[in-house]
Amino acid sequence: MEQIYELRLYVAGKTSKSVTALNNLRKYCEEHLAGQYTIEVIDLLVQPQLAEGDQILAIPTLVKKVPEPVRKIIGDLSNKEKVLVGLDIRPR
């Protein structure tokens, strides 16, 4: 059975870093997890209270909720290798 990846991307408005992070994330997911992922984008300018639950200290931050373990990747996600390792798609 294939695993479904539940990903949450925290941003603060539509900054260039936030847009780049979302575009990179979508690209990597389509390349490696097509049909096996969900991306929830949380704008902390609209819902700042949601940062506390995942202990978000910097933005943009990607949180992999499922499958466990929970992982966080900070930045615009331009380092593909780091993102794939962080998501456990590629072995360390």
Side-chain angles (χ1 to χ4, degrees):
M1 184 173 156
E2 294 180 346
Q3 289 187 312
I4 299 294
Y5 282 69
E6 292 182 22
L7 308 172
R8 188 176 286 176
L9 182 64
Y10 288 90
V11 298
K14 292 195 181 287
T15 64
S16 62
K17 267 190 157 184
S18 298
V19 171
T20 300
L22 182 57
N23 288 339
N24 284 334
L25 179 59
R26 284 184 174 146
K27 183 173 70 176
Y28 304 150
C29 286
E30 278 305 308
E31 287 175 3
H32 299 277
L33 300 171
Q36 303 174 55
Y37 68 93
T38 61
I39 298 173
E40 181 181 9
V41 178
I42 296 178
D43 188 340
L44 294 179
L45 295 180
V46 179
Q47 299 173 296
Q49 72 279 9
L50 295 180
E52 202 170 302
D54 280 324
Q55 299 178 332
I56 302 303
L57 303 174
I59 48 172
T61 295
L62 172 64
V63 178
K64 176 177 70 86
K65 306 289 283 184
V66 175
E68 290 189 348
V70 172
R71 291 257 166 82
K72 294 178 188 170
I73 304 169
I74 296 170
D76 66 5
L77 309 179
S78 59
N79 185 332
K80 182 177 181 178
E81 195 66 30
K82 180 179 167 187
V83 174
L84 295 180
V85 170
L87 293 177
D88 291 326
I89 294 171
R90 185 164 293 171
R92 293 173 189 264

